[in-house]
Amino acid sequence: MKTVIFNGAKEGDLIMNAIENTIADQLTAKGWEIEPIELRNMQIAACVGCLGCWLKTPGTCVINDDGRETTRKAIQSDLMVWLTPVTFGGYSSELKKAIDRMLPSMLPYFGSYHGQIYHKMRYKKFPNLLVIGVQEPGVDYEETFMALAGRNQLNFRLPAYAASVFQRDKNPETIPAFVEQQLKKVEVIS
Amino acid sequence: MSEPRNVLLLVGSPRCERSNSYAIGKFIVHKLEEKGLSFEEAFATRLVNTQKGTERLLKSVDNADIIVLATPLYIDSFPSPTIKALELIHEHRKAVSPTKTQLLVAIMNNGSPEKEHMDIALKIIRNFAQESNFKWGGGIRVGWGYALNSEPLNEKKGRTRKLTRGLSLASVNLAEGQPISEEAEDLASTLFAPLFLAKIIIRLVVNPGWNKQAKENNAKAKMRDMPYELKT
């Protein structure tokens, strides 16, 4: 089983790096193959909204950079992990850059899903998703953050997902228990 | 808030002038221009990746009395350059407190007909406004953006009549330094066709239209290709 971890943190974010390492450790112990990706070190241009990945080179972004690889790795994994500082209740621009470039995993055609109109998916299978946000003290955007992950689940038709927020001022020693709880939610460890 | 003088149209679409966001944003700022306000345009995509661009963006924001963020929805939230612009503006305003009350208005558009797809993004931008010391000026959610074809909005066309009326009403509020009224928000956010009809049009016209566009690129036969499918 494969996990790809997209880390959308800034350089030197010790809490997010600790969460990433803990996820990797706990999954490795269960025999999973882990691929951590520090998005800030990747060459990923922003999606330009050209729809070329639907209408010119279906399934492949017309921009030839690391964004193609991150999408391929996501599609070919069993679990995708998104790590991000909670940014006004959403994801950081660094993480969102990689997510926007996953548009080729969808088809242009619209279809009805859970009573609303969404783009249909190109692939029959998409990985499970775990989204973890690190929230600064003094704000409470957990509800918005969770709701965003919930919409992503619908948009990508994910078989299972879990989302949670870790408070930056919380004791880092609680990270292993926190991560274990999240991995249980997404049904990758029992 | 004293009478506003300067409007900044901040376009969040990476398609810049060729986008629905620009067409919608341009309509409302032209209405404000008619009421005596001066306006400036900025495109997030062109500014956020360079020092010079960032400085220009922040200067434009500092100068504005009203900021109209016109942006599409990309995968349930804003395109990454728009988020980057918000991050930069927020950092700047933490360091330099604003000296005047500034209204922030968000006008979003989305490919699907239901405006509810934009509810989370609306919450995110409201959180940004609060955290970055802007006065919230209102949010408009335009469904089925594809139907606008990135053309300038026409007040007489059926497809854009409600939207343009709503934006015109909104411009009256904004010119007085007031947030957009609920009536203007609702009118501009109302789909031009009933939802059931929109769904039929999507099935019969929009979906086949994608094939037609792909055919022009000799890509029709590859439309459902799965280049990253694992071979078992």
Side-chain angles (χ1 to χ4, degrees), chain A:
Chain A
M1 303 288 265
K2 274 188 198 169
T3 299
V4 59
I5 304 174
F6 293 135
N7 188 341
K10 286 181 185 165
E11 183 81 52
D13 190 325
L14 300 178
I15 294 289
M16 295 214 11
N17 291 345
I19 292 172
E20 179 190 317
N21 292 337
T22 308
I23 292 169
D25 290 348
Q26 291 191 9
L27 288 176
T28 304
K30 297 278 176 190
W32 284 62
E33 193 183 312
I34 313 293
E35 181 152 16
I37 298 175
E38 312 303 322
L39 292 169
R40 64 183 175 277
N41 298 331
M42 307 292 285
Q43 292 297 317
I44 303 176
C47 170
V48 294
C50 68
L51 308 186
C53 61
W54 288 345
L55 304 171
K56 290 182 180 167
T57 55
T60 307
C61 181
V62 297
I63 305 168
N64 188 6
D65 65 4
D66 292 338
R68 282 187 182 174
E69 273 305 284
T70 49
T71 299
R72 183 183 65 77
K73 287 175 196 291
I75 291 166
Q76 295 181 351
S77 68
D78 300 288
L79 173 68
M80 176 166 58
V81 180
W82 295 349
L83 300 181
T84 176
V86 177
T87 306
F88 319 116
Y91 308 148
S92 68
S93 58
E94 206 66 73
L95 175 62
K96 190 62 180 16
K97 204 154 54 174
I99 298 171
D100 287 348
R101 291 287 298 279
M102 290 182 196
L103 191 69
S105 67
M106 295 178 186
L107 291 167
Y109 312 113
F110 289 105
S112 196
Y113 186 64
H114 282 251
Q116 289 190 332
I117 300 284
Y118 289 91
H119 287 287
K120 293 183 176 177
M121 291 308 289
R122 183 174 297 280
Y123 297 90
K124 287 187 192 81
K125 178 193 156 285
F126 218 66
N128 291 347
L129 174 68
L130 172 60
V131 190
I132 294 178
V134 173
Q135 183 166 259
E136 299 302 320
V139 291
D140 182 9
Y141 297 142
E142 189 165 353
E143 197 186 321
T144 309
F145 188 81
M146 306 284 273
L148 176 59
R151 282 223 80 100
N152 294 154
Q153 190 259 333
L154 291 170
N155 222 338
F156 286 113
R157 319 288 200 280
L158 305 169
Y161 89 104
S164 198
V165 165
F166 187 86
Q167 300 294 335
R168 190 176 290 283
D169 54 357
K170 214 172 166 184
N171 184 350
E173 287 177 10
T174 62
I175 288 175
F178 169 79
V179 165
E180 191 181 347
Q181 199 183 13
Q182 304 319 311
L183 292 173
K184 274 182 186 163
K185 280 191 210 164
V186 80
E187 296 164 8
V188 295
I189 59 172
S190 50

Side-chain angles (χ1 to χ4, degrees), chain B residues 23 36 106 118 127 131 217:
Chain B
M118 293 169 271
N127 291 340
E131 223 184 305
N217 300 315

